[in-house]
Amino acid sequence: MVTIDSRFNGPTHSGNGGYVCGLIAAQLPETSPVTTPSTSTLRQPPPLDTALAWEHDGDEVRLVTAGGALIGESAPGSFSREAPAAPSAEQAAAGAAAYPGHSGHPFSTCFTCGPDRADGDGLRVFTGPVAPGSTTTAAPWTAHRDLLDAHGVLPTEIIWAAIDCAGGWTADFTVHPTVLGRMTAQVLRIPEIGESCTVTGVLDRQEGRKFLTSTALHADGELLARAEQVWIEIDPAAF
């Protein structure tokens, strides 16, 4: 059994997409999300503070409700695009300064990018456009020690969360409110607490209500984690 604590919300009443996708991927049998790309798909908004269960079937793992309804699933995955390049310090600073979420945010308490979350409680990854009109986002980020688990380890699902919303902000949540539908991610190295990192996102293309994006986490030019995502435009009132 597993419960998604309300701390790890995205929309107010459901789980943060990147966090939940990483949580499911971490249950894959005989694979490590630190070295292996995994694809997680969310089938419905993940409920908070609710007892859920795991189902394993070969190389796939599913997160289900007590009644058997499918919340999400994960399996080994692969990438179709190059990882975004590391932004310069100037681009990361410009992106943070231009973050649209400070003046308007459909989910202002989001664990990843909510400006209403305190440092160490939320991740406070504030990625904005690196230049006016750009669909590439970036921001600096440093992992806080309050993110460590009971064993003093930074869980991989925290890294999935850290590289989540930078993709959604490439289309600007204030213009196109979206939620994460699918995420393929790989964590190559867990950053040290206090290590200076950058998060970046790139909009690859739009297909109707779907936005296909790529994100990455770097430290001093080293690629620490990367993802490819599918975001789906929604009515925020439904979440």
Side-chain angles (χ1 to χ4, degrees):
M1 302 296 291
V2 63
T3 299
I4 302 168
D5 190 274
S6 58
R7 177 189 183 186
F8 303 113
N9 71 289
T12 305
H13 302 295
S14 58
N16 175 275
Y19 177 86
V20 177
C21 282
L23 188 69
I24 301 172
Q27 301 298 314
L28 286 172
E30 300 180 6
T31 64
S32 168
V34 174
T35 58
T36 304
S38 305
T39 297
S40 295
T41 303
L42 298 178
R43 301 299 182 180
Q44 60 177 297
L48 301 170
D49 296 329
T50 301
L52 304 170
W54 300 115
E55 290 183 350
H56 294 267
D57 182 10
D59 62 357
E60 182 178 280
V61 61
R62 295 184 289 268
L63 181 64
V64 299
T65 68
L70 180 63
I71 300 298
E73 61 209 343
S74 189
S78 60
F79 297 111
S80 61
R81 302 182 289 273
E82 294 295 320
S88 66
E90 293 75 17
Q91 287 175 316
Y99 177 58
H102 286 307
S103 57
H105 198 307
F107 309 121
S108 64
T109 62
C110 172
F111 175 68
T112 298
C113 66
D116 291 347
R117 300 295 291 266
D119 190 28
D121 176 38
L123 301 184
R124 296 177 63 83
V125 181
F126 299 147
T127 53
V130 298
S134 176
T135 55
T136 294
T137 61
W141 179 66
T142 301
H144 195 284
R145 66 179 58 259
D146 287 350
L147 299 169
L148 297 175
D149 65 15
H151 304 287
V153 175
L154 191 63
T156 55
E157 53 264 32
I158 296 294
I159 307 305
W160 281 60
I163 58 174
D164 176 16
C165 297
W169 283 109
T170 64
D172 192 343
F173 284 126
T174 66
V175 178
H176 300 284
T178 57
V179 293
L180 187 67
R182 178 171 294 164
M183 185 170 179
T184 298
Q186 180 179 23
V187 179
L188 300 169
R189 177 171 74 80
I190 301 291
E192 301 293 332
I193 298 301
E195 184 175 11
S196 296
C197 300
T198 58
V199 181
T200 190
V202 174
L203 176 62
D204 294 295
R205 66 184 185 275
Q206 179 181 356
E207 298 177 353
R209 293 174 51 232
K210 294 182 179 180
F211 294 83
L212 280 67
T213 65
S214 300
T215 64
L217 176 70
H218 291 88
D220 195 24
E222 177 191 359
L223 180 64
L224 304 187
R226 60 172 300 196
E228 293 178 359
Q229 306 159 321
V230 177
W231 295 83
I232 303 171
E233 191 165 8
I234 50 90
D235 176 2
F239 286 77

